[in-house]
Amino acid sequence: MSSVSTASRVGGKSLLSLQGVAGGYGDVDIVSGIDMHVCEREIVTIAGTNGAGKSTLIKAVMGLLPRLSGTVDFNGIDLRKLDVEERVRVGISYVPQVNNVFGELTVLENLQVVEYVRNPRDRIAKMLDMFPALAARRRTYACNLSGGERQQLAFARALMPDPRLMLLDEPSAALSPALTEQVFLEVQRLPRLGVAVLMVEQRARQALQFSDRGYILDAGRIVLTDTGANLLANEDMADLYIGRSHHSEQGA
């Protein structure tokens, strides 16, 4: 798999910090006792088994949980005091797993309706320059795009407000291996644009190959955190929480 070196990104200033975060729906905590951070221009992947609370944690950062406790700090700002729209304004974008573009709008219209954008005409031009496939299909309705093109459009929409942090929930969901490779290359471009990434990904083994660091969740709690390379090298933990490696499958 093609990959961009992560060495130069490690050790930057902390951008997002969570301390003692717990939350969920009703009276049930889906995540509990979460301590984690994301540095500037860093890619961090959240891995774990199904139902571990990975997507819930992403939603907690974006302000989409009805109940949350603990500290959520973004660049010195207490996010718990901000609603979703205000979090976008201070520099956080979110790409959900589903319904991340408007199918009934064209590519161009999807970009035009994004709020909180300075110099929208210039930003649209920049997005179409960054994503040539979208430029060629700017008049095409989003519902007629391929899966990979829709994800590119979702990324472009999220980049329109010029964020400092992008939250990605399963960006490779329902994509073929070839389209997954394409989407992962787009993720690896984000730090070079000044954007840090906090990502939940079902193909965690692939994602950790280019991630600076990772957190492994089990039953809503962090059970391990380390660099992406070290998490992959920990074979017992990797096989349990990330999925069996190709080497292990060959030897089974």
Side-chain angles (χ1 to χ4, degrees), residues 78-94:
D78 182 0
L79 289 184
R80 292 192 58 199
K81 296 180 179 179
L82 306 184
D83 61 23
V84 175
E85 289 77 14
E86 289 169 327
R87 296 183 196 210
V88 174
R89 288 176 181 169
V90 299
I92 302 175
S93 283
Y94 172 54

Side-chain angles (χ1 to χ4, degrees), residues 151-196:
Q151 279 298 72
Q152 286 190 31
L153 180 55
F155 276 37
R157 281 176 48 81
L159 286 169
M160 279 289 291
D162 198 14
R164 297 184 63 185
L165 173 67
M166 188 177 293
L167 308 174
L168 303 177
D169 190 359
E170 304 279 11
S172 77
L175 297 183
S176 68
L179 290 178
T180 295
E181 174 81 9
Q182 180 182 346
V183 167
F184 282 170
L185 288 175
E186 297 297 345
V187 174
Q188 292 173 73
R189 278 208 297 175
L190 294 174
R192 288 178 284 170
L193 301 174
V195 183

Side-chain angles (χ1 to χ4, degrees), residues 45-225:
T45 290
I46 304 170
T49 56
N50 290 337
K54 304 183 298 294
S55 293
T56 299
L57 186 51
I58 289 280
K59 291 176 181 177
V61 176
M62 198 62 210
L64 296 171
L65 281 190
R67 183 175 52 77
L68 185 70
S69 62
T71 301
V72 185
D73 180 277
F74 176 74
N75 197 33
I77 300 170
D78 182 0
L79 289 184
R80 292 192 58 199
K81 296 180 179 179
L82 306 184
D83 61 23
V84 175
E85 289 77 14
E86 289 169 327
R87 296 183 196 210
V88 174
R89 288 176 181 169
V90 299
I92 302 175
S93 283
Y94 172 54
V95 180
Q97 180 177 345
V98 296
N99 300 323
N100 52 26
V101 299
F102 295 110
E104 71 278 10
L105 300 182
T106 67
V107 167
L108 189 58
E109 288 168 341
N110 264 276
L111 300 179
Q112 290 172 333
V113 298
V114 178
E115 297 181 307
Y116 316 122
V117 179
R118 296 179 181 177
N119 303 315
R121 290 172 63 91
D122 291 343
R123 290 299 293 174
I124 289 173
K126 184 170 183 176
M127 291 305 103
L128 295 180
D129 184 58
M130 283 179 55
F131 300 97
L134 298 182
R137 308 201 68 186
R138 68 183 71 192
R139 305 295 180 187
T140 301
Y141 287 102
C143 60
N144 294 325
L145 299 176
S146 69
E149 289 169 339
R150 282 196 299 273
Q151 279 298 72
Q152 286 190 31
L153 180 55
F155 276 37
R157 281 176 48 81
L159 286 169
M160 279 289 291
D162 198 14
R164 297 184 63 185
L165 173 67
M166 188 177 293
L167 308 174
L168 303 177
D169 190 359
E170 304 279 11
S172 77
L175 297 183
S176 68
L179 290 178
T180 295
E181 174 81 9
Q182 180 182 346
V183 167
F184 282 170
L185 288 175
E186 297 297 345
V187 174
Q188 292 173 73
R189 278 208 297 175
L190 294 174
R192 288 178 284 170
L193 301 174
V195 183
V197 178
L198 180 61
M199 173 173 62
V200 169
E201 178 48 54
Q202 60 181 350
R203 292 178 168 96
R205 188 172 290 275
Q206 288 176 265
L208 286 170
Q209 291 176 19
F210 60 81
S211 296
D212 296 291
R213 294 183 300 107
Y215 291 87
I216 295 181
L217 262 62
D218 186 17
R221 293 182 177 273
I222 294 171
V223 295
L224 187 64
T225 180

